[in-house]
Amino acid sequence: APILEHMTKSEEYPTLKEVCEGRELPAYEATSEFASKVSGELDDLLPQLSGKQGALHTLEKLEQSEDQAAKRLNDLLEQRSDSHRSDPALDADVVKAANEAEGKRRQVAAVTKLIDDSALQGRDEIKSIVQAAIATAAERAEEVQGIVGAWSSEPGNLQRTPENLALLKRVRESAALRDISKYLGRFREMLAQKKQNGYAYGRGEKYSLELGSDLSRALTRELGRALSRAISSELVMLASPETLPLFLRKYQRRQIKQYRRREPVYKGAGDIICCLDESGSTAGECAAWGKAVAMTLLEIAESEGRRFALIHFSDFGTIKTDLFFPKQTTVEDRLRAAETFLDGGTDFCAPLNEALRLMEEKGFEKADIVFITDGECVLSPEFISRLQEEQVRRRFTITGILLDQENAGMDFSLRAFCQNIYRTSELTGEAIVYEMVNNREYF
């Protein structure tokens, strides 16, 4: 009971409950982690908490004797009530049984108090043990949720299936995959939310939802039903004095739900080529974030039946290309591509030439390029001129992502060939992915 009390009062318990409730796999893993953490510690602590040696055994025996004495007393009382005449001997037995039951009750209370006093002395020690175990259990549950959410083809399925157990084992054996999971799970959530918030209305016009203060685009009852049954009207708050302040507060904070009409997609919605810098300087968090972005772009391409190419690059001429085709990609394909890391220096020419080759020879003629790097590379004027000519001829765009959060003032060479540039020194990694997910060129 003290252990459960400390568990439910722990700061980590709400997180643990939220992640595990109704989800078999994280619940099982968290339970296993908690038990393994507390068992060794409590084996030594519990004898101290139970008071003198044998106190718990004594208490158990006394409780059994108390139950027997209470039962004998009840039997005698029933016998006495059934008797139609006074029986001094029976009365004496009732008194004796009542005294014996009371004596047993007092003995149980005394031994219980001794044990409780001993437990109270070790309360702080139990608390620290349980809190540490709960914290590691919560971490374990979140890790499980993150791994399945990042890599599974069914991220919402958190049952203890052979496929999920195999996936957990596979990812846990790879430090690179574990690091990528921290980002990729969240990015896939953003993508799923984007898909949920897109609706068609009227004659094929496409809409999505956003927050703002444009009353002309606030959700009306009719449009709200067309967009989603789950969305209530915003303007209905104006009809009641009780909800009017809420509407005004949301309006002031630009939090009114309104629809945003999507512009016609005249370009994009084609294949995607991602050039990913895997030079030695990207090792660690930059590499994990870049791989998570690449895997998110792969999911966007797959969801729309588009091709995707991941070009790993580092030193001069050092590249590796992974091709992904619609409905042909397995979880293991993703994991292998994500684990690849070339190391070395930085050369931009090889990956850009490879991207052009894919457009020319492998059917990626309608592809756009995402170029992720943390460094500089001087490209010759001749190469830049040829690349620009190809861009004009093939009408593709190059979006650059510069991992410059540690060196915000650096000069870089993406300006020469990228039409859009995101810098991690100016936007958080999550904000960049949000912008890309909402960019019509990719979604």
Side-chain angles (χ1 to χ4, degrees), residues 6 9-12 126-136:
H6 288 308
K9 291 183 178 179
S10 169
E11 292 181 359
E12 302 289 342
I126 288 183
K127 182 178 180 180
S128 64
I129 292 173
V130 171
Q131 285 185 338
I134 280 287
T136 56

Side-chain angles (χ1 to χ4, degrees), residues 224-239:
R225 280 199 300 265
L227 293 175
S228 171
R229 294 179 181 177
I231 300 171
S232 60
S233 170
E234 295 288 271
L235 299 180
V236 76
M237 289 186 289
L238 294 172

Side-chain angles (χ1 to χ4, degrees), residues 2 23 28 79 81 83 111 133 151 163 197 260 264 318 322 338 385:
R23 296 167 177 167
Y28 187 97
Q79 183 179 344
S81 64
S83 178
V111 175
W151 300 107
E163 294 78 13
N197 288 341
R260 175 180 60 198
T318 304
D322 292 308
S385 177

Side-chain angles (χ1 to χ4, degrees), residues 209-251:
L209 304 180
E210 63 182 3
L211 298 178
S213 58
D214 187 345
L215 296 183
S216 67
R217 292 192 287 126
L219 292 178
T220 64
R221 187 178 303 275
E222 179 183 358
L223 183 56
R225 280 199 300 265
L227 293 175
S228 171
R229 294 179 181 177
I231 300 171
S232 60
S233 170
E234 295 288 271
L235 299 180
V236 76
M237 289 186 289
L238 294 172
S240 171
E242 289 79 8
T243 57
L244 178 59
L246 175 61
F247 180 88
L248 295 176
R249 184 162 60 250
K250 293 179 71 174
Y251 176 76

Side-chain angles (χ1 to χ4, degrees), residues 267-275 297 306-309 355 359 364-371 391 394-399 419 440-442:
K267 183 67 177 76
D271 302 330
I272 301 175
I273 299 173
C274 180
C275 300
L297 292 172
R306 300 181 249 164
R307 300 176 184 178
F308 179 80
M359 293 180 187
F364 281 79
E365 62 272 3
K366 294 183 179 180
D368 287 302
I369 299 174
V370 178
F371 200 94
Q391 286 185 268
R394 298 182 181 277
R395 300 181 63 193
F396 66 86
T397 61
I398 304 179
T399 297
Q419 286 67 57
R440 66 168 182 245
E441 291 181 0
Y442 303 110

Side-chain angles (χ1 to χ4, degrees), residues 106-367:
R106 289 178 179 178
Q107 288 178 347
V108 168
V111 175
T112 299
K113 185 176 186 306
L114 288 174
I115 294 175
D116 287 344
D117 289 343
S118 297
L120 189 61
Q121 294 174 6
R123 184 179 182 86
D124 290 341
E125 194 168 354
I126 288 183
K127 182 178 180 180
S128 64
I129 292 173
V130 171
Q131 285 185 338
I134 280 287
T136 56
E139 289 177 4
R140 183 79 161 194
E142 289 180 317
E143 177 201 48
V144 171
Q145 184 184 43
I147 289 174
V148 175
W151 300 107
S152 174
S153 56
E154 297 181 272
N157 179 8
L158 287 166
Q159 298 305 302
R160 198 166 178 266
T161 63
E163 294 78 13
N164 280 342
L165 290 174
L167 179 61
L168 282 182
K169 184 176 183 297
R170 173 80 167 82
V171 174
R172 282 172 174 166
E173 290 173 350
S174 170
L177 295 179
R178 292 198 306 270
D179 290 342
I180 296 168
S181 301
K182 298 174 186 176
Y183 299 103
L184 182 55
R186 174 56 187 150
F187 294 167
R188 291 186 80 185
E189 284 182 17
M190 292 168 55
L191 186 57
Q193 290 169 4
K194 172 66 178 176
K195 292 177 181 178
Q196 281 184 342
N197 288 341
Y199 303 95
Y201 175 70
R203 299 173 60 185
E205 298 167 290
K206 291 184 178 180
Y207 291 84
S208 62
L209 304 180
E210 63 182 3
L211 298 178
S213 58
D214 187 345
L215 296 183
S216 67
R217 292 192 287 126
L219 292 178
T220 64
R221 187 178 303 275
E222 179 183 358
L223 183 56
R225 280 199 300 265
L227 293 175
S228 171
R229 294 179 181 177
I231 300 171
S232 60
S233 170
E234 295 288 271
L235 299 180
V236 76
M237 289 186 289
L238 294 172
S240 171
E242 289 79 8
T243 57
L244 178 59
L246 175 61
F247 180 88
L248 295 176
R249 184 162 60 250
K250 293 179 71 174
Y251 176 76
Q252 184 180 23
R253 296 176 181 176
R254 301 175 63 85
Q255 293 180 340
I256 298 295
K257 287 179 185 175
Q258 60 190 42
Y259 66 88
R260 175 180 60 198
R261 181 175 178 179
R262 294 186 190 172
E263 298 176 6
V265 179
Y266 63 92
K267 183 67 177 76
D271 302 330
I272 301 175
I273 299 173
C274 180
C275 300
L276 181 61
D277 185 351
E278 293 181 357
S279 57
S281 58
T282 67
E285 292 299 312
C286 285
W289 185 85
K291 291 283 177 57
V293 172
M295 293 298 106
T296 304
L297 292 172
L298 167 58
E299 182 151 350
I300 291 174
E302 282 191 332
S303 67
E304 294 294 319
R306 300 181 249 164
R307 300 176 184 178
F308 179 80
L310 176 57
I311 303 173
H312 314 258
F313 71 91
S314 61
D315 283 327
F316 178 76
T318 304
I319 61 171
K320 181 180 182 300
T321 303
D322 292 308
L323 299 180
F324 300 89
F325 300 97
K327 299 181 180 180
Q328 298 180 30
T329 301
T330 66
V331 173
E332 184 59 31
D333 293 334
R334 295 169 179 263
L335 295 173
R336 278 199 299 266
E339 280 186 303
T340 299
F341 187 75
L342 301 179
D343 208 346
T346 306
D347 171 46
F348 289 176
C349 293
L352 290 171
N353 278 329
E354 173 68 0
L356 294 176
R357 185 188 72 82
L358 293 177
M359 293 180 187
E360 182 69 32
E361 300 176 7
K362 297 296 182 179
F364 281 79
E365 62 272 3
K366 294 183 179 180

